[in-house]
Amino acid sequence: MAFAIKTEIRDPDATSFSFGAQKTMYGGKHIAADDIIFLFASENEGGRGLFARGIVISAEPIARKQNVLRQTPRVSIVVRCTAFAQRPLGRRELKSFGTWQDGQPGTELNIKFYRQATNKIVGISDEAAAFLDRFFEHSEKEPGKDPDK
């Protein structure tokens, strides 16, 4: 299983990121080291959506608070970028995937990220991961380097 995170990104040109105590939904709590993750810069914080793909270097679950009945599981992760997106994919582009039962990977992402627009880590299907991979064509070089040189 692959994962995706939508959160505030302060430096989209960085080659590694540390995300502390992130909410998880849709299986996101199962993220572990060596998993593939797609990074979305949250539009709620001025981001532009999908911008990078990476590998999880470490993942640590956050202990639940005692005496609190309903808690969203949280995880802290460190990610190393492996590629930067070559085309935009955010709320605007995913809005057209609005037929909830159509089974399209774009619809899966729209539901998981924008039906409840909070920042979070989510598990995604193989089909959604393949869909996202298409936004990284010709970008397998080191982050920050020109992929055509």
Side-chain angles (χ1 to χ4, degrees):
M1 175 182 262
F3 296 86
I5 183 172
K6 180 172 68 84
T7 192
E8 179 180 16
I9 304 294
R10 292 197 175 114
D11 181 6
D13 294 323
T15 57
S16 64
F17 297 91
S18 179
F19 303 110
Q22 297 293 301
K23 287 183 179 182
T24 63
M25 293 179 73
Y26 305 104
K29 68 183 178 181
H30 299 294
I31 195 166
D34 297 324
D35 284 336
I36 293 171
I37 188 165
F38 295 90
L39 290 80
F40 285 72
S42 176
E43 292 94 342
N44 293 338
E45 282 84 26
R48 58 179 168 89
L50 179 67
F51 76 95
R53 178 179 57 216
I55 297 292
V56 177
I57 301 303
S58 68
E60 296 292 329
I62 303 300
R64 292 182 181 233
K65 297 177 183 175
Q66 291 195 355
N67 301 322
V68 178
L69 293 177
R70 295 189 64 195
Q71 297 180 55
T72 302
R74 292 180 180 265
V75 177
S76 292
I77 62 172
V78 175
V79 174
R80 179 178 50 84
C81 286
T82 57
F84 288 110
Q86 300 298 301
R87 297 182 292 145
L89 180 68
R91 180 178 295 201
R92 182 180 328 151
E93 293 80 13
L94 289 170
K95 191 172 187 170
S96 65
F97 294 96
T99 306
W100 298 122
Q101 303 300 327
D102 67 7
Q104 293 188 65
T107 303
E108 175 185 339
L109 295 166
N110 190 8
I111 290 169
K112 290 180 176 182
F113 278 150
Y114 300 113
R115 178 173 19 176
Q116 184 182 41
T118 59
N119 293 340
K120 62 187 89 83
I121 297 172
V122 299
I124 59 172
S125 68
D126 291 341
E127 293 79 14
F131 172 79
L132 290 172
D133 273 335
R134 294 187 300 193
F135 290 83
F136 295 89
E137 293 173 355
H138 309 296
S139 66
E140 292 302 319
K141 302 291 182 184
E142 280 293 309
K145 306 278 186 191
D146 184 347
D148 296 324
K149 290 188 178 178

